[in-house]
Amino acid sequence: MYLSRLSLSILAALLFVSNDIDAQETSAVLGICVVCHGEDGSGAGFDDVPIIAGMPAPHIEEAIYSYQDGARRCIEVPAMCEAVFPLTDEEVGEAADYFSAMKRVSSGEPYNDRLAMQGRRLHREHCIRCHARPDEDRAEDALGIPLHGQRSVYLRYAFISYLNGDRNTLIPQMAEKLALLTADDIEALINFYSSYKP
């Protein structure tokens, strides 16, 4: 049911630019992106869609290119690969610039304080070198995308995708760090990242 609704939404966007966007100022490619990610980049209504508002443009570009070249596979939600596969370099840059210029929003979802504190320790021990907060100056140059503020459903999906091989790790150190984490560690990290407020 979910995939059918999402696929229909993408198909509709491919045929018509969203009426919510000023077509004179926004291209058809952005009309496709906002179907799931929203005009504000919050992905409201789709728990497994990442919040990309305020994400540095290089990270958005890297994610799109990863979908295009197969480094990220669209197993559960094929619509993402279908949407980005035909994009040109110019269109990828346009989408990245559009969403990176927006104000970062919070998922606003509840989290467990105790697990968030454990996750904070794990983040400092394993993840801080490559994953900066979205509001840090080094976020654009960090190797990994900002995870702080993402929804727990998306974070869980991303972790599982890396662990089962549906996403390639960018550097060997990431695979090594992931191998050290238990299921409880992952839940703690998810609660920590969910606790972030811009």
Side-chain angles (χ1 to χ4, degrees):
M1 178 71 176
Y2 168 75
L3 291 179
S4 298
R5 182 170 64 90
L6 183 56
S7 295
L8 288 173
S9 296
I10 293 291
L11 179 59
L14 289 168
L15 298 173
F16 306 100
V17 175
S18 171
N19 290 333
D20 294 333
I21 299 175
D22 184 351
Q24 294 179 346
E25 296 180 10
T26 309
S27 73
V29 68
L30 293 179
I32 294 167
C33 297
V34 301
V35 169
C36 296
H37 290 285
E39 289 182 55
D40 63 355
S42 72
F46 297 106
D47 288 343
D48 56 353
V49 170
I51 296 171
I52 59 174
M55 185 178 288
H59 291 299
I60 296 174
E61 291 174 354
E62 185 274 325
I64 293 172
Y65 288 132
S66 292
Y67 282 116
Q68 287 182 333
D69 67 19
R72 290 189 180 193
R73 298 166 57 205
C74 297
I75 304 299
E76 293 183 25
V77 187
M80 180 63 185
C81 287
E82 293 165 6
V84 301
F85 182 76
L87 298 184
T88 64
D89 289 346
E90 181 178 296
E91 289 169 330
V92 170
E94 179 184 357
D97 290 343
Y98 176 80
F99 289 108
S100 67
M102 296 181 166
K103 183 178 178 181
R104 182 69 173 195
V105 296
S106 171
S107 69
E109 67 181 11
Y111 58 89
N112 180 295
D113 284 324
R114 181 183 58 79
L115 288 177
M117 289 300 292
Q118 293 175 12
R120 179 182 176 129
R121 177 184 53 78
L122 289 163
H123 170 75
R124 288 181 173 175
E125 189 176 324
H126 298 287
C127 313
I128 196 169
R129 183 175 174 193
C130 296
H131 294 280
R133 290 190 323 269
D135 56 348
E136 286 186 80
D137 290 338
R138 69 184 188 96
E140 184 169 330
D141 298 321
L143 286 175
I145 69 167
L147 300 175
H148 299 72
Q150 292 293 351
R151 290 183 188 86
S152 59
V153 173
Y154 170 73
L155 289 167
R156 199 169 287 110
Y157 165 77
F159 274 113
I160 291 170
S161 295
Y162 281 115
L163 290 169
N164 67 18
D166 289 335
R167 287 190 184 182
N168 296 335
T169 56
L170 293 174
I171 55 174
Q173 290 87 342
M174 182 171 174
E176 293 166 8
K177 296 287 187 183
L178 284 169
L180 297 173
L181 299 176
T182 66
D184 289 342
D185 291 339
I186 289 172
E187 284 304 310
L189 281 166
I190 288 168
N191 275 267
F192 169 63
Y193 294 131
S194 297
S195 73
Y196 171 78
K197 301 292 188 293

